[in-house]
Structure formats: C-alpha cells, structure tokens
Amino acid sequence: MRYNPSVIEKKWQKTWAEQKKFQVSSDIEELKKKPKYYILDMFPYPSGAGLHVGHPEGYTATDVVARLKRMQGFNVMHPMGWDAFGLPAERAAMRENIHPAIITERNTTNFKRQIERLGFSYDWSREINTTDPQYYKWTQWIFLQLYKKDLAYLSEVPVNWCPALGTVLANEEVKDGKYVETGDLVEKKLMRQWMLRITSYADRLLEDLDLLDWPENVKEMQRNWIGKSEGAEIFFDLSGTDKQIVVFTTRPDTIFGVTYCVLAPEHPLVAEITTSENRESVTAYVHAVQGRSDLERQEVVEKTGVNTGAFAIHPFTGAKIPIWVADYVIGSYGTGAVMAVPAHDQRDHEFAHKYSLPIVQVVQTDSDLNQEKALEGDGIVVNSDFLNGLHSTQAISVAIDHLEKNGHGVKNIQYRLRDWLFSRQRYWGEPVPVLYGVDGRIEALPDDALPVELPPMDSIKPGADGQPPLANAPKNWLEATLADGTPATREVNTMPQWAGSCWYYLRYLDPHNDTQLCNEELEKYWMPVDLYIGGIEHAVLHLLYARFWHKVLYDCGVVHSKEPFHKLFNQGMILGQSYQDSAGKYYYPHEVEQKGADYVVKATQKPLKAQTEKMSKSRYNVISPDEVIDQYGADAMRLYEMFMGPLEQVKMWQMSGVEGVYRFLCRLWRLVVDEETGALSAKLVDAPASSNAYMQKWLHQSIKKK
Ligand code: ANZ
C-alpha cells in the first residue's frame, strides 16, 4: 500500500462528484443563513493545445481559498466555464474543414477532462459556455440595452482591412502596414461598424478604481488607457480667411511660446489651406505617410513634415505663425492639430531644430535651455505679457480665463480612450440582434426574438469584398421582417470575443434562468466577486470592458453593485525549463541530453538569451498537466505550483521540484498509513492524538533539521 495518487485521487474525485460536495444552494432563503464568498477564475479560452501548467497555477490558488472559506462557514461560489467564441476556433475550422462548434466541443471536453483530473472544488452544475445559444441570448440582450441607451451606434470608421485574408485586423495585428503573421498588406478602409460608447463612462471607470482592492500597477494601466488630459481648446484664426484651426493643449500657460502650428496629415483643413506653391510637396507627404498606424507614428524617432505655406494668427500677439503638416500629430487624438511650443515640448523641439523654426522660452525652470532637450517641467512664466511671474499651474487657469473671455478658446478635457469597435467580420461570434429595412432603417429585435442563433453553414469563409461569412448564410436566416411587416435583412457582423466575458460572472449565479439574465435576489446576495484571479494580460481590455458593461447594467437596474470585481490578483507566468551546460549557458530541453548528472548539448545550438523563456510549442518547452499528473499525481502538481514561490511572481518550471514534492507526499503517506497492511499506522493509533509521542518526536526532529 504505497502512496498511489492515481487510485486515491480517482476515488475522492468520484465521491465528491456523487455527493455533489461543492454544489452551492440556489435557494436564496437557505443562502441567507450564511455569509457569502464569491471566488472566480478568469475562465479559459479552450484552445486546441489543451491546458498548460500556467492554468492550474491560478486555479489551485482559488481552490485553496475556496476550500478554506467553506470550512470557515461561508457559502462559496466557485464556478468554471468556457470563453469559447473566437478566431482560433474559426481558423482551425477552416483549416480542418470542420464546423467551429465541433472544434469548440472537442476542445472544451478536453479542457474539462484535464481540469477535473486536478481535483478542483468547482460547482460544475453552474458550468457555462459563451457559445451556447442559451448563454449568448443574454449577451445579445445586453447589446439591446446598450442600443436602447444610445450606447451602441453605427459609424463609418477606418479599419485595418487585409484584402488577402478578407478580414479586418486589430491594431495589434498590424505593423508597417502588414499583417504581422503572414506579411499580407493591410490598408485602411472605411466600414460601417457597430461602436460602443465606452467613452461616456470614462470618468466613472476612472473614479471607481478607487473603490477597488486591486494591484496598483493594474489600476495605473487602466488610468493610462483611459488617459484623461485636462487643458484647453484654443482657436487660431487663419490669416486671410474667416476660418479657424482648433488645437488641443494641456499647457495653455505656454501660449506665448508658440512659434508654429501643426496639423495631422489627415486633418480636413490640410487640402484647403495649403498654398498653390506648397501643394505638390504637401500632397506627396500626405500620400507617403498614409497607412502608418498611430502607434508607429508615435514611435518614429526622426520627425518629418512639410510647410503648408499658410499662417495662423496668434490670439494674443497677433503674430503670423506658420502652419505645418507632420505625422507626429495624430489625427484621432484631441483636435488633430497642435500649437507647437518647441522650448517646452520635446517633439516640437526636435521638429523645430530640424526645420530651423524659432524656439522661444516662456517658462523658467531649474535648468537652462539647450540644443537637445525641451524644458518640459513647471516653473515661472516669462516673456508672456499678462502671464509673467505666475507659476505654470496658476498660469494655466489665468490663460484659460483670458481665452474664454476673448472668445479665443475654452477649457477642455480629452481622453485617450476611444469608443469600442464592436463589429467583427467573422462567423464564430454572437450575431448582433439587429435588422435593416430595405430603406436602410435600423431596427433592434424585440427581446422575444432572442437568441438570434448562428445558422449552420457549409462554408464559413468570408464573402467577397470584405463581406462577413454570414452574408452567405441561407436565405431563410438572412431574410426577416421588421415590426411593421416590411422585408428586412439581418446584421451579418458578429460581436468580438470580449463580449461573452463581459458579464459571465453574473450568469454563474443563475445559469439556467430563461426569463432573466440573473435573478435579482441572487445577484444582490452574491455580488461583487470577492476575489478574482487571472493573468496580467487582462489588466486592461477584459477588465475595462467588463467594468463598463457592469456599470451599464447597474444603470439599467439589473445589478446593484457599482463594480464587478472587488479584489483582483494576478498570478505570475510560469516559464519554460532550461538546462545549464558546464560553461554556464542555457539551452532548450530538446537540445540537451542528460549524461549522468550533467547535461550535454546535442548539436551546435545557440544558447538561450535568458535562463528561461515563455512556454511555447516552437521552443519545445511546454509542459502539459497530463504528463505531470500521470507521473506524480494531481496533489503533487498542485502542491508544487503553490510551493514554486509567491503567486504573483514569474517562475521557472522545474520537474525536479515536482519530484521533491512527490517524495514529501510519500513520507506524509507513510506517517499515516502502514504500507504493509494498508491500515492506519500503528504508531499513530497507539497514542491518543493530543499526546502522540511519535508525532511529537517527528515534529521536533523536523524543527531541529531546519
Ligand atoms: C502645447 C504644449 C506645450 C504641449 C508644452 C505640451 C507641452 P496629453 O498629455 O497626452 O494629452 N497634442 C495635442 N493633440 C495632439 C495630437 N493629436 N497628436 C500629437 N500631439 C498632440 O498631451 C497633450 C499635448 O500633446 C498637447 O499639449 C499638445 O502639445 C500635444 F510645453 O500643446 B501641447
């Protein structure tokens, strides 16, 4: 009767399942007798590769807390489900010529098998899947609420269109005008897309971060993403016309240091104001910089631009200020135009140097102005008429007052946050529950028409000219009628993968409710989530989108907490194992052979740059929980993951560590079980538990060893 995890673990997992040990009641009266604890994992995307050892790291941590809280007398909500819509399944479906639903089913079955083997105490009766029509019915219902509140609208927006793939790409997927994975050309194309007005929630998303027990770095990432800037819009009259250009600035205190203005190349006034002598060079420039993404434009080291030949009038001095076009000014931020203050803004400084534009210092700071650097800090304002002698911060409000009084500007706040582009030209997502009449009328479907299910289709390839796959859906799906009986067609775009994960934590509370997204009493009892654990990669988008939807649902009266996730914790990534040779260099596991206690590099291989790297197929360093459990059992795997180091730290996987934990478990087993007879160890039974001499001896021996 040696320690045999495969027998022990199977037995207890079966018992737990049969006795429904971890199922929490749905009876609100019953629940109210005890305090609650809602502990949530970021639910996984069931990929074809199956679980890797990074998943169980967070899952083990939440499981430890869930079990503790149950023992402490809490009702514990600890559910699991599948975030299963998305591009990888769609791509796999096209590759293998199998429907994505089948691929998803295959992957979730495998994920569930792997997670169950680990013996976590999930309440499986609450399992959800975002691709289940009974689930996405409510994702669609929330979209309708957004639409009713004018928070969902259609807009012609420039998107990254890849003609070769026939699809729109995310900004992160495009570099140098090409799709990062295949190198196919990407162009900007205007397409009518659904947008969600997340910007109207910017202030609340910012302010309510203060209510949360989250890591400071995650809050800071959210703040930066929202990017609130307070300043002013200043109106510059255009010399010789009745037109104006409007700039956005956070530093109106530097208004007397303006020596030129800059328009973004896509600014609508560029063509209009450019003089005939400068037309050719401006057109050539605008053409040359087209297709560069905003991100690339901000990264560019060497600033470029051209003079339009036109002039603006300084609102206070009346001086004529040249207007340039340069792509360091971003069209989609602020007003797409800036007043340039080269003495106090680094970008303007570099540009002014390059094109020999004047540099006028108007703020006295601790350092002196030199060739390389602008003086970006605060100080005492100089060379600035009525602002002279004021500190920059005071000067900002005095300047704004003057501008407002004279009709030359207004106080203004800008956000980096943009409205959320919510349409995808894909099949494997939630259909948007909207119809278009023949006259172009838009009509949202009534609640009782939900769910709008995805039609079965033989081919889910995109249609011609960027038409989404659903444009080829069978006629009986595509064609519908408006409320007044006139013919209509369905929206053929689907929702992005983020949609389903924006509200899943609510569905777990009442997963089988077919009249409501979630029962109100249950929501009031369980929300907010007390502890949410997941990867730092979700620090911005998922968490921001979910907070946004939650606030909308709060405004609709569906939820009663302002924020969904009270405490957040990010687990650190588990990196792949590497081996060190005698020269102290590190190699991938497949590049070395073990010879005795040493590792010998098989062929002439380049050593790794760092001791460990991310686990990935191409690095041959992925560890599957299955192989660990086969060899050592789930308890060894779980204990090892918790013993690797602080949960939030990045750590390297080491099989020898699992081996060590396994040996510890064997010893623990021998302490309790007599290996010969299989009965409880005689040494344990002999003495009363309180004064167990054997245990005492063991304990003190252990303390001494330490
Ligand atoms: C004059 C000035 C003087 C500025 C100075 C800064 C320092 P944040 O904080 O990021 O909001 N700006 C405005 N719109 C822009 C655009 N579309 N593309 C590129 N730059 C833009 O930055 C606001 C500042 O960035 C603005 O204040 C403007 O330059 C520039 F000593 O105006 B400032």
Side-chain angles (χ1 to χ4, degrees), residues 585-640:
K585 298 229 155 52
Y586 293 99
Y587 294 87
Y588 288 140
H590 69 289
E591 294 167 341
V592 293
E593 245 170 348
Q594 192 167 6
K595 292 241 168 80
D598 282 340
Y599 291 97
V600 180
V601 183
K602 276 189 209 157
T604 17
Q605 302 277 2
K606 275 205 193 110
L608 298 174
K609 287 203 188 82
Q611 181 178 357
T612 72
E613 297 189 5
K614 248 174 116 162
M615 286 193 185
S616 75
K617 255 192 196 162
S618 59
R619 297 186 176 107
Y620 299 90
N621 62 355
V622 179
I623 306 280
S624 145
D626 280 330
E627 53 181 296
V628 184
I629 299 175
D630 285 345
Q631 214 175 334
Y632 302 107
D635 278 334
M637 160 109 197
R638 293 163 48 125
L639 268 183
Y640 171 65

Side-chain angles (χ1 to χ4, degrees), residues 231-237 244-247 249 252 255 315-316 399-412:
E233 280 185 0
I234 301 183
F235 318 138
F236 285 78
D237 289 335
Q244 284 185 325
I245 64 169
V246 181
V247 304
T249 177
I255 178 84
F316 295 128
I400 294 177
D401 278 352
H402 264 72
L403 289 164
E404 289 189 335
K405 265 196 210 110
N406 300 315
H408 288 311
V410 284
K411 201 178 164 116
N412 185 268

Side-chain angles (χ1 to χ4, degrees), residues 373-528:
K373 270 207 152 12
L375 301 174
E376 295 200 311
D378 287 357
I380 301 298
V381 179
V382 293
N383 297 330
S384 297
D385 195 349
F386 60 88
L387 296 176
N388 283 338
L390 295 174
H391 187 267
S392 317
T393 41
Q394 281 173 300
I396 290 180
S397 41
V398 174
I400 294 177
D401 278 352
H402 264 72
L403 289 164
E404 289 189 335
K405 265 196 210 110
N406 300 315
H408 288 311
V410 284
K411 201 178 164 116
N412 185 268
I413 297 174
Q414 292 290 331
Y415 298 88
R416 297 238 158 242
L417 185 68
R418 298 275 147 249
D419 278 345
W420 175 11
L421 195 148
F422 199 67
S423 298
R424 294 293 181 275
Q425 291 68 50
R426 290 182 189 143
Y427 173 80
W428 198 227
E430 301 86 348
V432 179
V434 164
L435 304 177
Y436 298 95
V438 274
D439 53 359
R441 223 176 338 147
I442 303 164
E443 194 173 284
L445 283 162
D447 291 0
D448 63 12
L450 303 184
V452 178
E453 289 194 43
L454 280 169
M457 286 171 69
D458 293 335
S459 161
I460 55 162
K461 292 211 176 71
D465 202 24
Q467 285 278 45
L470 284 177
N472 302 325
K475 271 204 165 52
N476 64 2
W477 186 87
L478 269 181
E479 291 172 357
T481 45
L482 297 182
D484 66 8
T486 56
T489 55
R490 280 185 202 281
E491 167 66 66
V492 289
N493 286 287
T494 54
M495 299 187 197
Q497 204 199 332
W498 306 105
S501 58
C502 271
W503 70 280
Y504 74 111
Y505 54 90
L506 291 170
R507 192 60 179 171
Y508 283 136
L509 308 181
D510 197 8
H512 310 296
N513 193 334
D514 51 17
T515 57
Q516 270 174 306
L517 179 155
C518 171
N519 169 283
E520 202 173 311
E521 292 301 311
L522 289 171
E523 184 277 326
K524 278 189 192 155
Y525 176 78
W526 284 112
M527 286 301 287

Side-chain angles (χ1 to χ4, degrees), residues 227-230 247-255 258 264 297-298 327-348 363 374-377 414-416:
K228 182 174 181 172
S229 284
E230 295 184 42
V247 304
F248 170 68
T249 177
T250 47
R251 296 290 305 274
D253 55 319
T254 62
I255 178 84
V258 176
R297 282 163 59 165
Q298 279 159 310
D327 79 341
Y328 75 91
V329 175
I330 305 300
S332 58
Y333 184 66
T335 59
V338 306
M339 59 178 217
V341 184
H344 303 288
D345 181 284
Q346 188 56 29
R347 296 159 299 178
D348 300 342
V363 181
L375 301 174
E376 295 200 311
Q414 292 290 331
Y415 298 88
R416 297 238 158 242

Side-chain angles (χ1 to χ4, degrees), residues 190-226:
L190 282 179
M191 279 177 94
R192 202 155 80 131
Q193 307 272 293
W194 283 102
M195 304 289 292
L196 299 189
R197 227 182 281 282
I198 188 172
T199 49
S200 15
Y201 282 69
D203 276 322
R204 283 164 69 187
L205 288 168
L206 206 55
E207 282 157 21
D208 290 351
L209 283 173
D210 295 341
L211 307 174
L212 301 175
D213 182 2
W214 283 19
E216 200 43 48
N217 66 323
V218 176
K219 288 191 185 183
E220 202 47 32
M221 283 161 85
Q222 296 230 337
R223 285 189 196 108
N224 289 339
W225 191 266
I226 297 167

